[in-house]
Amino acid sequence: MAILEVDGLTKRYAKFTLDSVSFSLEKGYIMGFIGRNGAGKTTTLKSMLRLVHPDAGMVRVGGEDFQQNEWACKQKIGVVWGGVDYYPKKRLKTIADVTRRFFPQWDEETYQNCLRRFELDPDKRIDELSAGMRVKFSLALALSHRAELLILDEPTSGLDPVSRDDLLGLFQELIEDGEHSILFSTHIISDLEKCSDFITYIKDGKILASMDKEGFRDNFRLVKGPEERLTPEWGAVGIGTRKHRFGFETMIRKADIAIAAGLNPEPADLETIMIHIEREDDHEKPLI
């Protein structure tokens, strides 16, 4: 069952348009939402949650129309905007006391378990927590009102590698019961290599692809070769081609692999794929 369905979501600004964004997420999975800064990731999330008013489109959470049943849908969602940074002088227990008033399904036992699991001291103030602990506190609040869908916007940004790895492991644990799902927006692509099941790629306000991670990566091959092999026909298939002193490097779709005979095309990781796609300036060329 799809916990989240986004269909034709559109938001127009003077210099940017979120253009008919559509994707869906099933229960029990992590979806990485990727694209360079300014591509439309945060605008999509804010439009989904009606923090900005979309011009068109529909969002369903657990099968319910978000616009028509906003209160019920928000009970199923936990949102983490990179960790708690409001009321920095307030103690965790004070913020929890306020938060529980908005959620009839608040589960105090779950909250106390999260405090113990995440090693959070309820008597500490927000400004006494590290960046990683702030994210964990946000997750504790979300899980305690039985959120089925966690929407995370850059939750690991600014964390050290050990803290990031700890959180990624936690995200994977959270979905193991098959009842929780995570939409994970980030520009730290290596994080998604470790934990995501699906990838949704947005570029210039449009969705380029939304599919399983392995299938997405398998669409591409990285090609390196001497400059004399870079014939004009590469212009139609090479994505983000770059020349250097030793020859050239480009990316091609797996469907075009015949052009690279003898050059030993290699599988590409998510970060390499993103770099080449964002480097490509031919808007007519098929990228996916």
Side-chain angles (χ1 to χ4, degrees):
M1 174 184 175
I3 183 62
L4 174 65
E5 300 167 90
V6 179
D7 185 13
L9 197 63
T10 300
K11 176 64 181 177
R12 301 181 184 88
Y13 293 102
K15 296 183 179 181
F16 177 81
T17 297
L18 190 69
D19 191 359
S20 194
V21 164
S22 300
F23 60 90
S24 64
L25 175 60
E26 299 289 319
K27 279 191 173 183
Y29 294 100
I30 298 176
M31 174 177 282
F33 191 33
I34 64 174
R36 70 183 304 168
N37 291 340
K41 299 190 301 296
T42 300
T43 300
T44 298
L45 299 184
K46 288 185 175 181
S47 297
M48 284 166 45
L49 298 168
R50 301 189 72 79
L51 298 177
V52 298
H53 186 73
D55 296 305
M58 179 178 292
V59 176
R60 286 180 287 270
V61 177
E64 293 189 85
D65 185 302
F66 194 97
Q67 182 177 358
Q68 296 179 3
N69 304 282
E70 185 169 339
W71 174 257
C73 288
K74 284 185 174 179
Q75 300 301 307
K76 300 176 183 178
I77 298 174
V79 182
V80 178
W81 302 103
V84 178
D85 57 4
Y86 47 84
Y87 301 125
K89 298 300 181 182
K90 294 295 183 181
R91 301 189 188 278
L92 274 58
K93 62 183 179 182
T94 303
I95 292 177
D97 286 341
V98 173
T99 303
R100 64 167 56 90
R101 299 174 191 174
F102 293 93
F103 297 100
Q105 296 189 88
W106 180 273
D107 187 329
E108 186 62 24
E109 183 178 357
T110 296
Y111 177 65
Q112 294 300 327
N113 287 339
C114 285
L115 291 183
R116 288 190 290 271
R117 180 181 181 183
F118 301 157
E119 299 180 340
L120 291 164
D121 181 350
D123 289 317
K124 280 196 170 184
R125 300 191 309 267
I126 292 297
D127 62 3
E128 294 178 308
L129 300 182
S130 67
M133 296 303 278
R134 293 186 189 195
V135 173
K136 288 182 177 181
F137 181 55
S138 291
L139 289 171
L141 295 177
L143 294 171
S144 298
H145 73 257
R146 299 179 181 176
E148 300 172 39
L149 172 65
L150 300 177
I151 297 177
L152 314 178
D153 189 26
E154 305 286 357
T156 59
S157 180
L159 301 187
D160 64 81
V162 175
S163 297
R164 279 171 45 209
D165 190 67
D166 181 36
L167 277 177
L168 296 177
L170 173 60
F171 297 159
Q172 290 178 304
E173 287 180 36
L174 292 177
I175 65 166
E176 285 179 356
D177 61 4
E179 295 300 319
H180 294 89
S181 302
I182 297 176
L183 178 62
F184 184 177
S185 171
T186 184
H187 66 275
I188 306 176
I189 307 304
S190 59
D191 287 352
L192 300 180
E193 292 277 9
K194 296 180 180 179
C195 73
S196 66
D197 302 294
F198 295 89
I199 294 294
T200 293
Y201 195 125
I202 188 168
K203 179 178 170 68
D204 299 328
K206 298 180 180 180
I207 298 297
L208 290 186
S210 187
M211 60 197 302
D212 69 279
K213 179 179 68 180
E214 298 307 321
F216 179 79
R217 290 195 306 194
D218 193 50
N219 271 325
F220 302 98
R221 293 292 184 271
L222 185 66
V223 181
K224 302 176 183 178
E227 188 170 355
E228 58 266 24
R229 284 292 304 269
L230 192 61
T231 56
E233 62 184 329
W234 282 91
V237 297
I239 300 170
T241 303
R242 181 176 62 183
K243 295 181 182 179
H244 51 73
R245 58 185 296 189
F246 303 109
F248 74 96
E249 176 184 296
T250 191
M251 188 175 70
I252 59 174
R253 296 178 301 162
K254 186 178 179 181
D256 298 318
I257 200 167
I259 195 175
L263 292 178
N264 298 316
E266 305 171 357
D269 59 28
L270 289 177
E271 186 167 313
T272 300
I273 292 169
M274 182 173 175
I275 289 171
H276 279 268
I277 286 178
E278 296 300 333
R279 188 186 291 157
E280 180 57 51
D281 57 7
D282 184 349
H283 298 290
E284 300 302 319
K285 183 182 296 182
L287 300 179
I288 305 293

